[in-house]
Amino acid sequence: MTQPLPFGTPGRAARSDLVEVMQKVAQGDKEAFSALYDALAPLVFGIVLKVVRDRSQSEEVTQEVMIDLWRQAGRYQADAGSVTTWAATIAHRRAVDRVRSAQAATDREHARAAREHTTAFDEVSEQVETRLESEQVRRCLRGLTELQRQAVTLAYYRGLTYREVSQALQTPLPTIKTRMRDGLIRLRDCMGVTT
C-alpha cells in the first residue's frame, strides 16, 4: 500500500514543500529522500531519456542522479533556483556525460580496430613483382664484364668484403674496387635507378 507524500498532491510537490524536503534530506532523513525521489524521479528520468535515448541506461543514470541529490542535498541553495531546476540541471549534465562517455568508448574501439586492421596481403602480386625484379637483375648482371659480374656477385650474394673478393678472384684490391664501382654504376643505369 502506497502512503501519500508528506506534502500536497501525491507525486507533485509545491516549491516550498520541496525546499523543506530537501533540507530534511540534507540532514539525512530517509523518509524525506523517499518523498523527494517520488517527486523528482519521473522528471529526472524524462530528461535523461531524451538525452541518452536508451531506456536501461536512462534508468541507470536516473539512479545516479537521485543518489547525487541525496549526497549533495546540503549544497542546495533555495535562492539559486527551485529544487526541480537543480535536479533537472544535474540530470541533464549526467545524461550528457553518459552520452559523451559512450561516444568516447565507441571512438576508442573504432581507433583500435583501425590500428589492428591490416589490408589483405596480395601474395600473387608480390611474387610476380619479385620475379620480375629478379629477372631484371639477372639481365643487367649479364651486361657486365666477367670480372665486374664475379666481383658484384661475390660481394652482394655471398657477402664477401672487398678484400675477400680480391683474394677469391686473385686480383689486386684497387682493381676490384674499381670494377665493382663501375659494375654498380652500370647496374644502376640498367635497373633505371635514379640517385
Side-chain angles (χ1 to χ4, degrees), residues 1-14:
M1 177 176 192
T2 306
Q3 295 182 344
L5 296 176
F7 45 77
T9 311
R12 294 193 174 256

Side-chain angles (χ1 to χ4, degrees), residues 42-176:
L43 169 77
V44 168
F45 180 74
I47 291 168
V48 171
L49 185 60
K50 283 183 181 180
V51 175
V52 176
R53 295 186 177 159
D54 176 79
R55 187 166 192 82
S56 64
Q57 283 195 30
S58 295
E59 290 170 356
E60 287 178 26
V61 174
T62 298
Q63 291 302 315
E64 292 170 6
V65 170
M66 296 311 295
I67 291 170
D68 279 352
L69 292 177
W70 168 260
R71 290 181 180 156
Q72 297 179 25
R75 295 171 135 182
Y76 171 71
Q77 296 174 356
D79 58 341
S82 71
V83 173
T84 54
T85 302
W86 187 59
T89 302
I90 293 172
H92 187 264
R93 286 181 185 158
R94 274 291 187 143
V96 169
D97 287 347
R98 176 62 66 101
V99 170
R100 286 181 181 157
S101 175
Q103 184 60 49
T106 300
D107 291 347
R108 282 192 303 273
E109 288 177 25
H110 287 308
R112 187 180 72 239
R115 284 190 306 270
E116 292 174 356
H117 178 72
T118 55
T119 307
F121 185 72
D122 188 357
E123 292 181 37
V124 174
S125 173
E126 183 68 26
Q127 288 174 355
V128 168
E129 189 175 325
T130 301
R131 284 185 189 151
L132 290 173
E133 288 174 356
S134 298
E135 182 55 40
Q136 185 178 10
V137 169
R138 282 193 289 275
R139 183 177 47 79
C140 290
L141 280 171
R142 285 192 296 266
L144 302 178
T145 67
E146 185 62 27
L147 186 57
Q148 288 173 337
R149 184 173 42 254
Q150 287 176 340
V152 169
T153 301
L154 289 172
Y156 287 93
Y157 289 109
R158 293 198 184 154
L160 300 182
T161 64
Y162 285 129
R163 189 172 307 287
E164 291 170 334
V165 171
S166 171
Q167 292 169 352
L169 296 177
Q170 298 177 351
T171 307
L173 183 60
T175 304
I176 291 298

